[in-house]
Amino acid sequence: MRRNLVVVMDDIAEIKIGKDTSFALLLEGQRRGYRVLYLNETDLFFQDGRAGATVREVQVRDDPAGWYELDCTRPHYFGPEDLVLMRADPPVDPDYLHATYLLDLAEAAGARVVNRPRALREFNEKLAIGRFPDLIPPTLVSASHAMIRDFVRKQGKAVLKPLDGMGGRGIFLATADDPNLNSMLESLTGAERRPAMAQAFLPEIQDGDKRVLVIGGRPADYVLARIPGNEDFRGNLARGGRGEGRRLGPADRAIAEAVGPTLVEHGIMLAGLDVIGDRLTEINVTSPTCIRELDAQFGLNIAGQLFDAVDP
């Protein structure tokens, strides 16, 4: 086991510990005896030929009244004793990409980085499903308003998404006769300057947008179905969806087992597949969530499974 757990994440003061997967990983790392070091993506640096970061040692506890204590800041240079978890949230913007390039240098210095920085760049969470065309719903990616309108017309109803969003932000449900369709397209494509994704609307969303966690290429035994509320078609918990834990179903397992080997091949040890009905709609690799909810409902330790896979 490596000595240091180095966690790159968003502001620890702002997280909701009841559903923050990064917090679950901090707790498990502390339980296993790592020295746990915390930083934000802008704390990474390269100096005198070495990759490092300005870090703070952190102590965590599962208490909403006060869940962390931070030591003073100090520089830390990456090496073979480090297990680095890259958990910064999207968007995958220039700042995020720069962080992954610095983490490439941490890897070169001997650190184990999960998920691999190169994979975080290569696996766009929307576009990566294109590697598995037999598993996905009818899908179009284009900047062309004409192509997207034609796709919506043929499907009857479609979900329109930005390629760099998260948490359901900027997602629209469209029909060909929707008077707001032009405004949706202008917003998503920046007047045809960037591509967006359109997917056939899947009525099975009524039964939940299932998050299937894949750890070390293998699916967890339970999924979290995120069921839309009464006033939104999106199942995202951040948009009012309700989370319901369920045992992994046969279709979910088949999808996870088909995708898992490719994930491991590219160094993606923790992923969250989004599955509606029996169709794969997204592959989340930057900061997959839902560990805390599933652990609480079923008495699991999914974070422990990840550590077993990446640093036995």
Side-chain angles (χ1 to χ4, degrees):
M1 187 179 89
R2 296 175 190 245
R3 179 167 179 258
N4 303 314
L5 176 66
V6 187
V7 183
V8 187
M9 59 183 285
D10 295 336
D11 187 355
I12 194 171
E14 300 297 324
I15 65 175
K16 296 179 172 62
I17 67 169
K19 54 184 179 180
D20 192 279
T21 288
S22 297
F23 186 69
L25 297 169
L26 290 170
L27 285 171
E28 180 63 14
Q30 180 175 274
R31 188 188 71 78
R32 290 184 175 226
Y34 291 95
R35 182 174 61 151
V36 184
L37 306 177
Y38 156 81
L39 67 143
N40 305 133
E41 62 183 32
T42 52
D43 292 320
L44 294 159
F45 63 76
F46 179 75
Q47 183 178 43
D48 298 328
R50 302 172 70 191
T54 301
V55 303
R56 302 178 74 176
E57 192 162 350
V58 62
Q59 300 287 326
V60 289
R61 56 184 176 272
D62 200 354
D63 181 356
W67 56 91
Y68 70 98
E69 292 180 10
L70 294 173
D71 204 344
C72 58
T73 60
R74 64 177 184 81
H76 175 80
Y77 291 92
F78 293 110
E81 291 296 306
D82 297 324
L83 171 62
V84 183
L85 303 182
M86 177 49 166
R87 292 285 309 171
D89 284 340
V92 180
D93 56 13
D95 292 337
Y96 187 100
L97 290 173
H98 295 155
T100 68
Y101 291 126
L102 289 166
L103 289 173
D104 281 338
L105 300 175
E107 266 194 335
R112 175 78 190 270
V113 183
V114 177
N115 289 316
R116 285 199 72 189
R118 180 175 180 177
L120 293 174
R121 295 190 295 271
E122 292 182 348
F123 272 72
N124 176 279
E125 297 187 320
K126 306 300 189 293
L127 292 173
I129 64 170
R131 297 169 183 261
F132 309 97
D134 295 339
L135 303 178
I136 67 176
T139 297
L140 168 73
V141 176
S142 176
S144 165
H145 290 184
M147 288 184 69
I148 298 173
R149 284 195 205 95
D150 187 55
F151 179 87
V152 174
R153 179 184 60 78
K154 289 177 179 176
Q155 299 301 324
K157 188 183 289 187
V159 176
L160 310 181
K161 307 176 181 181
L163 296 181
D164 59 356
M166 67 167 289
R169 288 196 295 266
I171 296 180
F172 300 96
L173 179 61
T175 57
D177 59 356
D178 191 323
N180 295 306
L181 182 55
N182 285 339
S183 294
M184 296 177 196
L185 297 180
E186 290 165 6
S187 174
L188 285 167
T189 70
E192 298 187 298
R193 289 192 299 272
R194 59 178 178 265
M197 174 173 280
Q199 288 182 324
F201 174 74
L202 299 172
E204 294 89 343
I205 185 63
Q206 299 280 338
D207 194 41
D209 181 354
K210 294 169 287 186
R211 168 57 54 84
V212 181
L213 291 169
V214 182
I215 304 105
R218 300 175 63 85
D221 290 331
Y222 294 85
V223 304
L224 192 74
R226 296 158 298 171
I227 301 168
N230 294 328
E231 298 181 352
D232 205 319
F233 74 96
R234 297 168 294 181
N236 306 79
L237 302 183
R239 301 292 168 251
R242 171 176 60 84
E244 179 182 293
R246 299 174 185 165
R247 185 171 286 278
L248 184 74
D252 307 326
R253 183 178 297 279
I255 290 171
E257 290 179 349
V259 174
T262 298
L263 297 177
V264 171
E265 177 186 349
H266 287 81
I268 298 171
M269 301 301 289
L270 175 61
L273 311 184
D274 288 348
V275 177
I276 300 175
D278 62 355
R279 297 290 91 186
L280 174 67
T281 62
E282 293 185 17
I283 301 175
N284 296 273
V285 300
T286 52
S287 55
T289 60
C290 297
I291 282 181
R292 289 283 276 171
E293 294 91 337
L294 290 172
D295 281 357
Q297 289 189 44
F298 300 108
L300 307 174
N301 181 12
I302 297 173
Q305 296 176 41
L306 177 65
F307 282 102
D308 289 344
V310 301
D311 195 25

Short mmCIF file of all heavy atoms in Angstrom, two decimals, residues 8-11 20 22 41 86-97 99-100 115 120-121 123-126 162-169 211 236 239 272 274 282-289:
data_model
loop_
_atom_site.label_atom_id
_atom_site.label_comp_id
_atom_site.label_asym_id
_atom_site.label_seq_id
_atom_site.Cartn_x
_atom_site.Cartn_y
_atom_site.Cartn_z
N VAL A 8 -7.45 15.36 -5.23
CA VAL A 8 -7.72 16.62 -5.93
C VAL A 8 -9.23 16.74 -6.07
O VAL A 8 -9.87 15.92 -6.73
CB VAL A 8 -7.06 16.63 -7.32
CG1 VAL A 8 -7.20 18.01 -7.97
CG2 VAL A 8 -5.60 16.21 -7.25
N MET A 9 -9.81 17.75 -5.43
CA MET A 9 -11.27 17.87 -5.42
C MET A 9 -11.68 19.33 -5.31
O MET A 9 -10.83 20.22 -5.16
CB MET A 9 -11.85 17.05 -4.26
CG MET A 9 -11.36 17.46 -2.89
SD MET A 9 -12.00 16.45 -1.53
CE MET A 9 -13.69 17.05 -1.41
N ASP A 10 -12.97 19.57 -5.38
CA ASP A 10 -13.48 20.92 -5.18
C ASP A 10 -13.47 21.26 -3.69
O ASP A 10 -13.10 20.43 -2.85
CB ASP A 10 -14.88 21.02 -5.77
CG ASP A 10 -14.89 20.86 -7.29
OD1 ASP A 10 -13.85 21.10 -7.92
OD2 ASP A 10 -15.92 20.46 -7.84
N ASP A 11 -13.87 22.45 -3.37
CA ASP A 11 -13.77 22.98 -2.01
C ASP A 11 -14.46 22.06 -1.00
O ASP A 11 -15.68 21.86 -1.06
CB ASP A 11 -14.40 24.37 -1.97
CG ASP A 11 -14.20 25.08 -0.63
OD1 ASP A 11 -13.65 24.46 0.30
OD2 ASP A 11 -14.61 26.25 -0.53
N ASP A 20 -21.61 12.88 -1.15
CA ASP A 20 -20.39 13.24 -1.85
C ASP A 20 -19.44 12.04 -1.89
O ASP A 20 -18.94 11.59 -0.86
CB ASP A 20 -19.71 14.43 -1.17
CG ASP A 20 -18.61 15.01 -2.03
OD1 ASP A 20 -17.50 14.45 -2.03
OD2 ASP A 20 -18.86 16.01 -2.72
N SER A 22 -16.42 11.86 -3.14
CA SER A 22 -15.06 12.20 -2.73
C SER A 22 -14.92 12.09 -1.22
O SER A 22 -13.88 11.64 -0.71
CB SER A 22 -14.70 13.62 -3.19
OG SER A 22 -14.72 13.71 -4.60
N GLU A 41 -7.66 21.75 -7.87
CA GLU A 41 -6.91 21.55 -9.11
C GLU A 41 -5.93 22.69 -9.38
O GLU A 41 -4.88 22.49 -10.00
CB GLU A 41 -7.85 21.36 -10.30
CG GLU A 41 -8.76 22.54 -10.60
CD GLU A 41 -9.71 22.25 -11.74
OE1 GLU A 41 -10.12 21.10 -11.90
OE2 GLU A 41 -10.04 23.20 -12.47
N MET A 86 -8.04 11.97 -8.76
CA MET A 86 -8.47 13.19 -9.44
C MET A 86 -9.99 13.24 -9.40
O MET A 86 -10.67 12.49 -10.11
CB MET A 86 -7.95 13.22 -10.88
CG MET A 86 -8.41 14.42 -11.69
SD MET A 86 -8.18 16.00 -10.86
CE MET A 86 -8.41 17.14 -12.24
N ARG A 87 -10.54 14.13 -8.55
CA ARG A 87 -11.97 14.16 -8.30
C ARG A 87 -12.58 15.54 -8.54
O ARG A 87 -13.70 15.81 -8.10
CB ARG A 87 -12.23 13.74 -6.85
CG ARG A 87 -11.92 12.30 -6.53
CD ARG A 87 -12.96 11.37 -7.08
NE ARG A 87 -14.30 11.78 -6.68
CZ ARG A 87 -15.41 11.23 -7.17
NH1 ARG A 87 -15.34 10.28 -8.09
NH2 ARG A 87 -16.59 11.64 -6.76
N ALA A 88 -11.86 16.42 -9.22
CA ALA A 88 -12.43 17.74 -9.50
C ALA A 88 -13.62 17.59 -10.44
O ALA A 88 -13.60 16.78 -11.38
CB ALA A 88 -11.37 18.64 -10.14
N ASP A 89 -14.66 18.35 -10.18
CA ASP A 89 -15.87 18.28 -10.99
C ASP A 89 -15.67 18.94 -12.35
O ASP A 89 -14.83 19.84 -12.49
CB ASP A 89 -17.03 18.99 -10.28
CG ASP A 89 -17.60 18.17 -9.13
OD1 ASP A 89 -17.39 16.95 -9.11
OD2 ASP A 89 -18.28 18.77 -8.27
N PRO A 90 -16.45 18.50 -13.36
CA PRO A 90 -16.47 19.21 -14.63
C PRO A 90 -16.97 20.65 -14.41
O PRO A 90 -17.47 20.95 -13.33
CB PRO A 90 -17.47 18.40 -15.47
CG PRO A 90 -17.56 17.07 -14.80
CD PRO A 90 -17.34 17.34 -13.33
N PRO A 91 -16.86 21.52 -15.41
CA PRO A 91 -16.58 21.19 -16.81
C PRO A 91 -15.10 20.90 -17.06
O PRO A 91 -14.23 21.35 -16.33
CB PRO A 91 -17.01 22.46 -17.56
CG PRO A 91 -16.79 23.56 -16.58
CD PRO A 91 -17.16 22.97 -15.24
N VAL A 92 -14.87 20.13 -18.12
CA VAL A 92 -13.51 19.85 -18.55
C VAL A 92 -13.07 21.02 -19.42
O VAL A 92 -13.07 20.97 -20.65
CB VAL A 92 -13.44 18.50 -19.30
CG1 VAL A 92 -12.00 18.21 -19.74
CG2 VAL A 92 -13.94 17.38 -18.40
N ASP A 93 -12.75 22.11 -18.74
CA ASP A 93 -12.36 23.36 -19.38
C ASP A 93 -10.84 23.46 -19.43
O ASP A 93 -10.14 22.52 -19.01
CB ASP A 93 -12.99 24.54 -18.64
CG ASP A 93 -12.63 24.57 -17.16
OD1 ASP A 93 -11.70 23.84 -16.75
OD2 ASP A 93 -13.27 25.32 -16.41
N PRO A 94 -10.28 24.57 -19.93
CA PRO A 94 -8.82 24.66 -19.99
C PRO A 94 -8.13 24.47 -18.64
O PRO A 94 -7.07 23.83 -18.57
CB PRO A 94 -8.58 26.07 -20.56
CG PRO A 94 -9.78 26.30 -21.44
CD PRO A 94 -10.92 25.66 -20.70
N ASP A 95 -8.72 24.97 -17.56
CA ASP A 95 -8.10 24.79 -16.24
C ASP A 95 -8.05 23.31 -15.87
O ASP A 95 -7.04 22.83 -15.32
CB ASP A 95 -8.89 25.56 -15.17
CG ASP A 95 -8.77 27.06 -15.34
OD1 ASP A 95 -7.77 27.51 -15.95
OD2 ASP A 95 -9.65 27.80 -14.85
N TYR A 96 -9.13 22.59 -16.14
CA TYR A 96 -9.16 21.16 -15.85
C TYR A 96 -8.13 20.43 -16.70
O TYR A 96 -7.39 19.57 -16.19
CB TYR A 96 -10.57 20.61 -16.11
CG TYR A 96 -10.77 19.18 -15.69
CD1 TYR A 96 -11.39 18.88 -14.49
CD2 TYR A 96 -10.34 18.12 -16.48
CE1 TYR A 96 -11.58 17.56 -14.08
CE2 TYR A 96 -10.51 16.81 -16.09
CZ TYR A 96 -11.13 16.54 -14.90
OH TYR A 96 -11.31 15.23 -14.49
N LEU A 97 -8.06 20.75 -17.98
CA LEU A 97 -7.10 20.09 -18.86
C LEU A 97 -5.66 20.35 -18.41
O LEU A 97 -4.83 19.44 -18.41
CB LEU A 97 -7.30 20.55 -20.30
CG LEU A 97 -8.59 20.07 -20.97
CD1 LEU A 97 -8.74 20.74 -22.33
CD2 LEU A 97 -8.60 18.56 -21.11
N ALA A 99 -4.70 20.83 -15.43
CA ALA A 99 -4.48 19.98 -14.25
C ALA A 99 -4.13 18.55 -14.68
O ALA A 99 -3.25 17.91 -14.08
CB ALA A 99 -5.71 20.00 -13.35
N THR A 100 -4.80 18.04 -15.71
CA THR A 100 -4.49 16.67 -16.14
C THR A 100 -3.08 16.57 -16.72
O THR A 100 -2.40 15.55 -16.55
CB THR A 100 -5.51 16.13 -17.17
OG1 THR A 100 -5.39 16.85 -18.40
CG2 THR A 100 -6.93 16.23 -16.64
N ASN A 115 -8.72 8.67 -11.84
CA ASN A 115 -8.51 7.96 -13.09
C ASN A 115 -7.32 8.57 -13.84
O ASN A 115 -6.93 9.72 -13.58
CB ASN A 115 -9.77 8.04 -13.94
CG ASN A 115 -10.89 7.19 -13.38
OD1 ASN A 115 -10.71 6.06 -12.96
ND2 ASN A 115 -12.10 7.76 -13.36
N LEU A 120 -8.97 10.89 -18.74
CA LEU A 120 -9.90 11.99 -18.44
C LEU A 120 -10.01 12.95 -19.62
O LEU A 120 -11.06 13.57 -19.82
CB LEU A 120 -9.43 12.74 -17.19
CG LEU A 120 -9.48 11.94 -15.89
CD1 LEU A 120 -8.85 12.74 -14.76
CD2 LEU A 120 -10.91 11.56 -15.54
N ARG A 121 -8.95 13.05 -20.40
CA ARG A 121 -9.01 13.91 -21.59
C ARG A 121 -9.69 13.19 -22.74
O ARG A 121 -10.42 13.81 -23.53
CB ARG A 121 -7.60 14.33 -22.00
CG ARG A 121 -6.88 15.21 -20.98
CD ARG A 121 -5.60 15.79 -21.56
NE ARG A 121 -4.60 14.79 -21.87
CZ ARG A 121 -3.67 14.34 -21.03
NH1 ARG A 121 -3.65 14.81 -19.79
NH2 ARG A 121 -2.77 13.45 -21.40
N PHE A 123 -11.85 10.50 -22.70
CA PHE A 123 -13.20 9.99 -22.51
C PHE A 123 -14.15 11.13 -22.15
O PHE A 123 -14.53 11.30 -21.00
CB PHE A 123 -13.23 8.93 -21.39
CG PHE A 123 -12.95 7.54 -21.88
CD1 PHE A 123 -11.67 7.18 -22.28
CD2 PHE A 123 -13.94 6.59 -21.97
CE1 PHE A 123 -11.39 5.91 -22.75
CE2 PHE A 123 -13.69 5.31 -22.43
CZ PHE A 123 -12.40 4.97 -22.82
N ASN A 124 -14.52 11.92 -23.16
CA ASN A 124 -15.59 12.89 -22.92
C ASN A 124 -16.83 12.13 -22.45
O ASN A 124 -17.20 11.11 -23.03
CB ASN A 124 -15.89 13.65 -24.21
CG ASN A 124 -17.06 14.61 -24.06
OD1 ASN A 124 -18.22 14.21 -24.14
ND2 ASN A 124 -16.76 15.87 -23.83
N GLU A 125 -17.45 12.61 -21.40
CA GLU A 125 -18.49 11.83 -20.74
C GLU A 125 -19.74 11.63 -21.60
O GLU A 125 -20.52 10.71 -21.36
CB GLU A 125 -18.83 12.47 -19.40
CG GLU A 125 -17.62 12.44 -18.48
CD GLU A 125 -17.88 12.91 -17.08
OE1 GLU A 125 -18.63 13.89 -16.90
OE2 GLU A 125 -17.33 12.31 -16.15
N LYS A 126 -19.93 12.47 -22.58
CA LYS A 126 -21.02 12.27 -23.53
C LYS A 126 -20.54 11.46 -24.74
O LYS A 126 -21.16 10.47 -25.14
CB LYS A 126 -21.56 13.62 -24.00
CG LYS A 126 -21.99 14.58 -22.89
CD LYS A 126 -23.10 14.02 -22.04
CE LYS A 126 -23.66 15.05 -21.08
NZ LYS A 126 -22.73 15.49 -20.03
N PRO A 162 -25.46 19.67 -23.77
CA PRO A 162 -24.11 20.15 -24.05
C PRO A 162 -23.12 19.01 -23.84
O PRO A 162 -23.40 18.07 -23.08
CB PRO A 162 -23.90 21.27 -23.02
CG PRO A 162 -24.77 20.88 -21.87
CD PRO A 162 -25.97 20.17 -22.47
N LEU A 163 -21.96 19.09 -24.47
CA LEU A 163 -20.97 18.02 -24.36
C LEU A 163 -20.08 18.15 -23.13
O LEU A 163 -19.31 17.23 -22.84
CB LEU A 163 -20.09 17.98 -25.61
CG LEU A 163 -20.80 17.64 -26.92
CD1 LEU A 163 -19.80 17.60 -28.07
CD2 LEU A 163 -21.55 16.30 -26.82
N ASP A 164 -20.18 19.27 -22.42
CA ASP A 164 -19.27 19.49 -21.29
C ASP A 164 -20.00 19.76 -19.99
O ASP A 164 -19.43 20.30 -19.04
CB ASP A 164 -18.32 20.66 -21.59
CG ASP A 164 -19.07 21.97 -21.85
OD1 ASP A 164 -20.33 21.95 -21.87
OD2 ASP A 164 -18.41 23.00 -22.02
N GLY A 165 -21.28 19.38 -19.89
CA GLY A 165 -22.06 19.68 -18.70
C GLY A 165 -22.02 18.56 -17.68
O GLY A 165 -21.45 17.50 -17.89
N MET A 166 -22.67 18.81 -16.54
CA MET A 166 -22.82 17.80 -15.50
C MET A 166 -24.06 18.14 -14.68
O MET A 166 -24.57 19.26 -14.73
CB MET A 166 -21.60 17.76 -14.57
CG MET A 166 -21.40 19.00 -13.73
SD MET A 166 -20.21 18.78 -12.39
CE MET A 166 -21.11 17.71 -11.29
N GLY A 167 -24.56 17.14 -13.95
CA GLY A 167 -25.67 17.39 -13.04
C GLY A 167 -26.96 17.81 -13.70
O GLY A 167 -27.83 18.39 -13.06
N GLY A 168 -27.10 17.54 -15.00
CA GLY A 168 -28.34 17.89 -15.69
C GLY A 168 -28.41 19.32 -16.17
O GLY A 168 -29.43 19.73 -16.75
N ARG A 169 -27.34 20.09 -15.98
CA ARG A 169 -27.38 21.49 -16.40
C ARG A 169 -27.40 21.62 -17.91
O ARG A 169 -26.65 20.94 -18.61
CB ARG A 169 -26.18 22.26 -15.83
CG ARG A 169 -26.27 22.51 -14.34
CD ARG A 169 -25.27 23.58 -13.90
NE ARG A 169 -23.90 23.18 -14.09
CZ ARG A 169 -23.16 22.61 -13.14
NH1 ARG A 169 -23.68 22.35 -11.97
NH2 ARG A 169 -21.91 22.28 -13.38
N ARG A 211 -27.68 4.83 -12.24
CA ARG A 211 -26.24 4.99 -12.15
C ARG A 211 -25.63 3.64 -11.79
O ARG A 211 -25.86 3.11 -10.70
CB ARG A 211 -25.89 6.04 -11.10
CG ARG A 211 -24.42 6.12 -10.70
CD ARG A 211 -23.47 6.38 -11.87
NE ARG A 211 -23.78 7.54 -12.66
CZ ARG A 211 -23.40 8.78 -12.35
NH1 ARG A 211 -22.70 9.00 -11.26
NH2 ARG A 211 -23.71 9.78 -13.15
N ASN A 236 -31.66 13.68 -12.58
CA ASN A 236 -30.51 14.08 -11.76
C ASN A 236 -30.94 14.50 -10.37
O ASN A 236 -31.89 15.27 -10.20
CB ASN A 236 -29.78 15.25 -12.43
CG ASN A 236 -29.40 14.95 -13.87
OD1 ASN A 236 -30.25 15.04 -14.75
ND2 ASN A 236 -28.16 14.61 -14.11
N ARG A 239 -31.34 18.05 -9.75
CA ARG A 239 -32.49 18.70 -10.39
C ARG A 239 -33.80 18.20 -9.81
O ARG A 239 -34.84 18.25 -10.47
CB ARG A 239 -32.46 18.45 -11.91
CG ARG A 239 -31.19 18.97 -12.57
CD ARG A 239 -31.13 20.50 -12.56
NE ARG A 239 -29.83 20.99 -12.94
CZ ARG A 239 -28.97 21.55 -12.12
NH1 ARG A 239 -29.27 21.69 -10.84
NH2 ARG A 239 -27.81 21.99 -12.55
N GLY A 272 -19.03 5.89 -13.69
CA GLY A 272 -20.46 5.81 -13.45
C GLY A 272 -21.19 5.78 -14.77
O GLY A 272 -21.19 6.77 -15.51
N ASP A 274 -24.49 5.78 -16.99
CA ASP A 274 -25.89 6.17 -16.92
C ASP A 274 -26.67 5.30 -17.89
O ASP A 274 -26.37 5.28 -19.10
CB ASP A 274 -26.06 7.65 -17.25
CG ASP A 274 -25.54 8.55 -16.14
OD1 ASP A 274 -25.26 8.04 -15.05
OD2 ASP A 274 -25.40 9.76 -16.38
N GLU A 282 -24.54 7.76 -20.97
CA GLU A 282 -23.33 8.51 -20.65
C GLU A 282 -22.36 7.60 -19.91
O GLU A 282 -22.76 6.61 -19.29
CB GLU A 282 -23.62 9.73 -19.75
CG GLU A 282 -24.42 10.82 -20.42
CD GLU A 282 -24.58 12.06 -19.53
OE1 GLU A 282 -23.82 12.21 -18.55
OE2 GLU A 282 -25.47 12.87 -19.82
N ILE A 283 -21.06 7.98 -19.96
CA ILE A 283 -20.02 7.31 -19.17
C ILE A 283 -19.31 8.39 -18.37
O ILE A 283 -18.54 9.18 -18.92
CB ILE A 283 -19.02 6.56 -20.06
CG1 ILE A 283 -19.73 5.51 -20.92
CG2 ILE A 283 -17.94 5.90 -19.20
CD1 ILE A 283 -18.81 4.80 -21.91
N ASN A 284 -19.59 8.44 -17.08
CA ASN A 284 -19.02 9.48 -16.22
C ASN A 284 -17.69 9.00 -15.65
O ASN A 284 -17.63 7.97 -14.98
CB ASN A 284 -20.00 9.80 -15.09
CG ASN A 284 -21.30 10.38 -15.61
OD1 ASN A 284 -21.41 11.58 -15.80
ND2 ASN A 284 -22.28 9.53 -15.87
N VAL A 285 -16.63 9.77 -15.91
CA VAL A 285 -15.29 9.37 -15.47
C VAL A 285 -14.58 10.44 -14.65
O VAL A 285 -13.56 10.14 -14.03
CB VAL A 285 -14.40 8.98 -16.68
CG1 VAL A 285 -15.01 7.83 -17.45
CG2 VAL A 285 -14.15 10.17 -17.59
N THR A 286 -15.07 11.66 -14.64
CA THR A 286 -14.35 12.73 -13.94
C THR A 286 -14.57 12.63 -12.44
O THR A 286 -13.60 12.52 -11.67
CB THR A 286 -14.77 14.11 -14.46
OG1 THR A 286 -16.20 14.22 -14.43
CG2 THR A 286 -14.27 14.33 -15.87
N SER A 287 -15.81 12.67 -11.99
CA SER A 287 -16.08 12.58 -10.55
C SER A 287 -17.39 11.83 -10.32
O SER A 287 -18.37 12.40 -9.86
CB SER A 287 -16.13 13.97 -9.92
OG SER A 287 -17.08 14.80 -10.57
N PRO A 288 -17.42 10.53 -10.69
CA PRO A 288 -18.67 9.76 -10.55
C PRO A 288 -19.17 9.77 -9.11
O PRO A 288 -18.39 9.74 -8.16
CB PRO A 288 -18.26 8.34 -10.98
CG PRO A 288 -17.02 8.52 -11.77
CD PRO A 288 -16.32 9.72 -11.22
N THR A 289 -20.49 9.82 -8.98
CA THR A 289 -21.11 9.92 -7.66
C THR A 289 -22.00 8.70 -7.38
O THR A 289 -22.05 7.77 -8.17
CB THR A 289 -21.96 11.20 -7.58
OG1 THR A 289 -22.97 11.16 -8.60
CG2 THR A 289 -21.10 12.43 -7.80
#
